[in-house]
Amino acid sequence: MMGRKVTVRDVAAAAGVSTATASRVLTHSTSVNPEMARRVLKASSELGYTANVFARALRTQRTDTVGMVVPSISNAYFIAAVEAVERELADSGRSLILCDARESVETEAQRIELLVQRMVDGLIVVPVTAFDSVPAIEAAARQGPVVLFDRWADAASTDYVGSDNADGLRLCVDHLRARGCRSIVYVGAKPRTSTAYERHKAFRELMGPADGADGADGSTLLGEFSIEWGVDAARQLLGRDELPDAIVCGADIIAVALLGTLREAGVAVPEQVKVVSYDDLLLGQLTVPRLTSVRQPIDAMAAEAVRLLDERAGRPDAPVHKSIFRPTLVVRESTGR
Amino acid sequence: MMGRKVTVRDVAAAAGVSTATASRVLTHSTSVNPEMARRVLKASSELGYTANVFARALRTQRTDTVGMVVPSISNAYFIAAVEAVERELADSGRSLILCDARESVETEAQRIELLVQRMVDGLIVVPVTAFDSVPAIEAAARQGPVVLFDRWADAASTDYVGSDNADGLRLCVDHLRARGCRSIVYVGAKPRTSTAYERHKAFRELMGPADGADGADGSTLLGEFSIEWGVDAARQLLGRDELPDAIVCGADIIAVALLGTLREAGVAVPEQVKVVSYDDLLLGQLTVPRLTSVRQPIDAMAAEAVRLLDERAGRPDAPVHKSIFRPTLVVRESTGR
DNA sequence: ATGAAAGCGCTAACAG
DNA sequence: CTGTTAGCGCTTTCAT
């Protein structure tokens, strides 16, 4: 429906050259007579020429477009990631096509397939799960460059950019201990994603071998990365005989909901309970009190993801590369003044 | 880089028919001998055939793809709109390409241009501004179907789907008056967008002809649809001799920030000041107290937008259509129990 | 350095 | 109903 009418032919004719020469000028491919080049450029701009992307892609097998699939566009952390990647791509004149997997492995597979068909030059994926997302990702990786972002998928032999979750959790626990907290509870997500898995594992290791079974002593509560779970977990804690000194949340989205629920119940944060979280979303700075949270260097991570994509495009058989960034802790009022 | 190798030719050969017949089967265009059809389908699935989108688009001039440009993907209201449109399109087997204008008219123009080039079958735009966005929108509308969503752009002769902002504001003010509020302040955005303009205008008309000049009596404060402005406006109000009975916010993003700032300063909401807002985001249900807010029927609006796009594709010269939906007020704790 | 011509993979006329 | 053929608009050999 939508589309240009002006073609290279028109430009060539107007400039009095062959379509080949016109194309050469327009794509800066080979050197051409300056005078002809001038005429082509003039004709091109006068006619308002824009190359038909489909014809070009059909011919060159490239699109200057990168695809990105995230688990949910309503999670602000992924939006921040998308924005960072888009900024990065803009620098090299490329654009991003964004797809939402809606937390469904099936939708995710469809979206990945869609993007591969659209011949994106590369694909950045934040997998919905660590296991079930693997087949679609591997199929895509067979066709071209794929980089996993933030979460890895098990056994997927693709490049990866993420941050050190164990270190992030260590920052949380060290900070709380320095403020005198003894009893600490972790409220996170079930280990269906690599981030949920790593953060939970790190917490348990940091807390010592006290509990053997999976949170049998009540020091860890696992649900989803969602508002609902934050509310639910808070209620569970409120139902206990006594509250812990501090709560470590696996993500801001959980923490914000948990915080609201605790305060609604009259619990003073940070006086009675301190709360620390992960992601450092703007959202966490709107709460009262504002959240102490682990920040990942998302711009650097986005840049690295694009770099890996380009590197892989150049050397398809290079060994798999994993880039792990160090997070930092941003201290705010939720862990005391 | 990424792309299929299997072509119609391969499928046709494997099925022992011509490419034309194979194509006919694969696109369900004309009726074909059932036996041949069976063979083609079998060959197709055995070879793992997928049509090359570019070749198809080049030939058919269609892509089964709709483009959407929003002012900012970090504003949860637009994300909700995107999700609704995507759901709607999925029903008819089409997909959405999303672009972020980053609150910049220039970026917006680029993105619109990019999508038009990509020959999307239609374009849904939430314009960054009511005036400066017009040229890019009109240029796109000359190429194919365009529907403005939520915000209209001045003099753009394109179809539009939105909601009745005057009615929404009336709901707010009526509700507050029913709860006994006398002094009411409006905190909104400068009239650079149609929604900001209409909400502000409606508020002033509802409050009577008391103030002539633009908020000269301090009953309206105008800034941006942003966190920062919410904080700033709250501080301005806190600096006054006395607080109003109630505050009407032009958007939840403003209200959430304003609410946090008021409560941090020890102001009791809703006891001292009631707060009502617009958009009914999930965000507003995480605050303490939860926000009373105007909800727009976003799913119905998305469905209508897609319908208008399709209608326009069928009849390019049909008169311009504007669809205005009625909002409702969702009452929560921020205006009293 | 330039032009003529050959396709990229697909679908729509046009004959049969 | 089926096959042959001609492009969609572009880039890129291959000659010159």
Side-chain angles (χ1 to χ4, degrees):
Chain A
M1 286 301 126
M2 305 188 129
R4 285 276 165 287
K5 344 279 284 200
V6 187
T7 73
V8 238
R9 262 198 164 64
D10 303 324
V11 174
V17 299
S18 71
T19 62
T21 303
S23 171
R24 283 192 264 257
V25 173
L26 267 5
T27 56
H28 320 291
S29 56
T30 357
S31 63
V32 281
N33 183 308
E35 164 56 13
M36 288 189 145
R38 203 191 52 74
R39 268 155 51 200
V40 169
L41 259 10
K42 181 159 172 286
S44 164
S45 76
E46 277 178 6
L47 297 174
Y49 170 77
T50 343
N52 179 311
V53 232
F54 295 100
R56 175 172 286 171
L58 186 57
R59 188 59 230 242
T60 61
Q61 309 282 63
R62 288 189 313 97
T63 57
D64 289 327
T65 296
V66 168
M68 185 161 181
V69 182
V70 299
S72 163
I73 57 170
S74 45
N75 185 323
Y77 172 70
F78 300 129
I79 292 296
V82 168
E83 290 183 317
V85 169
E86 204 165 22
R87 264 194 301 276
E88 190 59 33
L89 287 172
D91 290 348
S92 45
R94 288 177 285 184
S95 21
L96 184 74
I97 294 188
L98 173 63
C99 288
D100 180 5
R102 309 152 153 276
E103 297 290 1
S104 145
V105 175
E106 287 75 31
T107 308
E108 179 180 50
Q110 274 174 224
R111 295 318 185 177
I112 289 175
E113 165 85 19
L114 175 78
L115 291 172
V116 168
Q117 273 180 222
R118 297 250 154 186
M119 282 202 265
V120 289
D121 297 339
L123 206 51
I124 297 178
V125 181
V126 183
V128 169
T129 74
F131 301 97
D132 304 336
S133 299
V134 173
I137 291 169
E138 298 217 307
R142 244 170 272 129
Q143 309 282 331
V146 175
V147 171
L148 300 183
F149 191 90
D150 182 56
R151 304 173 173 180
W152 44 257
D154 203 60
S157 50
T158 50
D159 295 329
Y160 166 72
V161 175
S163 72
D164 189 336
N165 288 298
D167 197 45
L169 249 102
R170 187 187 56 70
L171 290 172
C172 294
V173 172
D174 283 356
H175 173 68
L176 291 173
R177 284 190 170 142
R179 305 236 159 176
C181 300
R182 308 305 297 154
S183 64
I184 305 178
V185 166
Y186 174 77
V187 175
K190 294 190 192 114
R192 289 166 22 99
T193 61
S194 68
T195 45
Y197 168 74
E198 292 181 344
R199 290 172 197 175
H200 177 223
K201 177 159 173 282
F203 179 80
R204 294 205 312 183
E205 288 173 0
L206 286 161
M207 297 307 286
D211 62 327
D214 184 44
D217 66 344
S219 73
T220 77
L221 293 175
L222 302 185
E224 314 295 326
F225 285 125
S226 73
I227 305 289
E228 292 74 16
W229 168 238
V231 172
D232 192 13
R235 296 214 175 108
Q236 289 188 31
L237 291 171
L238 287 166
R240 293 187 179 179
D241 291 338
E242 60 181 322
L243 288 170
D245 295 341
I247 301 169
V248 176
C249 291
D252 276 5
I253 193 168
I254 297 175
V256 169
L258 177 136
L259 197 63
T261 309
L262 288 183
R263 287 179 53 89
E264 216 162 18
V267 175
V269 179
E271 294 78 6
Q272 277 178 268
V273 183
K274 304 202 189 323
V275 176
V276 59
S277 179
Y278 219 104
D279 287 346
D280 191 43
L281 301 181
L282 192 54
L283 193 60
Q285 297 174 49
L286 294 177
T287 52
V288 180
R290 296 181 301 154
L291 277 175
T292 292
S293 193
V294 175
R295 171 187 291 168
Q296 304 176 52
I298 202 144
D299 287 318
M301 287 166 64
E304 176 70 1
V306 172
R307 200 187 64 76
L308 287 180
L309 232 35
D310 292 341
E311 200 168 281
R312 173 72 45 198
R315 304 196 306 148
D317 298 322
V320 173
H321 201 311
K322 316 275 182 196
S323 298
I324 318 292
F325 286 78
R326 289 196 53 176
T328 51
L329 186 72
V330 182
V331 179
R332 296 206 186 77
E333 294 81 25
S334 71
T335 51
R337 45 214 76 268
Chain B
M1 285 301 127
M2 305 191 131
R4 285 276 164 288
K5 345 280 285 201
V6 187
T7 73
V8 237
R9 263 198 165 65
D10 302 324
V11 175
V17 299
S18 71
T19 62
T21 302
S23 171
R24 282 192 265 257
V25 173
L26 268 4
T27 57
H28 320 290
S29 57
T30 355
S31 62
V32 188
N33 182 308
E35 164 57 12
M36 287 188 145
R38 202 191 52 73
R39 269 158 47 202
V40 169
L41 259 11
K42 180 157 171 289
S44 164
S45 76
E46 279 178 3
L47 297 174
Y49 170 76
T50 341
N52 178 311
V53 241
F54 296 101
R56 177 172 284 171
L58 187 56
R59 189 60 233 238
T60 62
Q61 308 283 64
R62 286 189 316 98
T63 57
D64 289 328
T65 297
V66 168
M68 184 161 183
V69 183
V70 299
S72 163
I73 56 171
S74 45
N75 185 324
Y77 173 69
F78 300 129
I79 293 295
V82 168
E83 289 183 318
V85 169
E86 202 164 25
R87 266 194 300 278
E88 190 59 32
L89 288 173
D91 290 348
S92 44
R94 287 176 287 184
S95 21
L96 183 75
I97 295 187
L98 173 62
C99 289
D100 180 6
R102 310 152 154 274
E103 298 289 2
S104 144
V105 175
E106 287 75 31
T107 308
E108 180 180 50
Q110 274 175 224
R111 296 316 185 180
I112 290 176
E113 164 84 19
L114 175 78
L115 290 172
V116 168
Q117 274 180 223
R118 296 248 155 188
M119 283 202 266
V120 290
D121 296 340
L123 206 52
I124 297 177
V125 180
V126 182
V128 170
T129 73
F131 301 97
D132 303 336
S133 299
V134 172
I137 291 169
E138 299 216 306
R142 245 169 271 130
Q143 309 282 332
V146 176
V147 171
L148 299 184
F149 191 91
D150 182 58
R151 304 173 173 180
W152 42 260
D154 203 60
S157 51
T158 49
D159 295 331
Y160 167 71
V161 175
S163 71
D164 189 335
N165 288 298
D167 197 44
L169 250 101
R170 188 188 54 71
L171 291 171
C172 294
V173 172
D174 283 357
H175 173 68
L176 292 173
R177 284 190 170 141
R179 306 235 157 177
C181 299
R182 308 305 296 152
S183 64
I184 305 178
V185 166
Y186 174 76
V187 175
K190 293 191 193 115
R192 289 167 22 101
T193 62
S194 70
T195 45
Y197 168 75
E198 292 181 346
R199 290 172 197 174
H200 177 223
K201 177 159 172 284
F203 178 81
R204 295 204 313 183
E205 288 173 2
L206 286 160
M207 295 307 285
D211 61 325
D214 184 44
D217 67 343
S219 73
T220 76
L221 294 175
L222 303 184
E224 314 295 327
F225 285 125
S226 73
I227 305 289
E228 291 75 15
W229 168 238
V231 172
D232 191 13
R235 296 214 175 110
Q236 289 188 30
L237 291 171
L238 287 166
R240 293 186 179 180
D241 292 338
E242 58 182 323
L243 288 170
D245 295 342
I247 301 170
V248 176
C249 291
D252 276 5
I253 193 169
I254 296 175
V256 168
L258 177 135
L259 197 63
T261 309
L262 289 182
R263 287 179 53 88
E264 216 162 17
V267 175
V269 179
E271 294 77 6
Q272 277 178 269
V273 182
K274 303 200 189 324
V275 175
V276 56
S277 179
Y278 219 104
D279 287 346
D280 192 43
L281 301 182
L282 191 55
L283 192 61
Q285 297 175 49
L286 293 177
T287 52
V288 182
R290 296 182 301 154
L291 275 176
T292 291
S293 194
V294 176
R295 172 187 291 166
Q296 304 176 54
I298 201 143
D299 287 318
M301 287 166 65
E304 175 70 1
V306 172
R307 199 187 65 76
L308 288 180
L309 232 36
D310 293 341
E311 202 169 280
R312 173 72 44 197
R315 303 195 307 147
D317 298 322
V320 172
H321 202 310
K322 316 275 182 195
S323 298
I324 317 291
F325 286 78
R326 287 197 52 176
T328 52
L329 186 72
V330 182
V331 178
R332 297 207 186 78
E333 294 81 25
S334 70
T335 52
R337 40 215 80 265

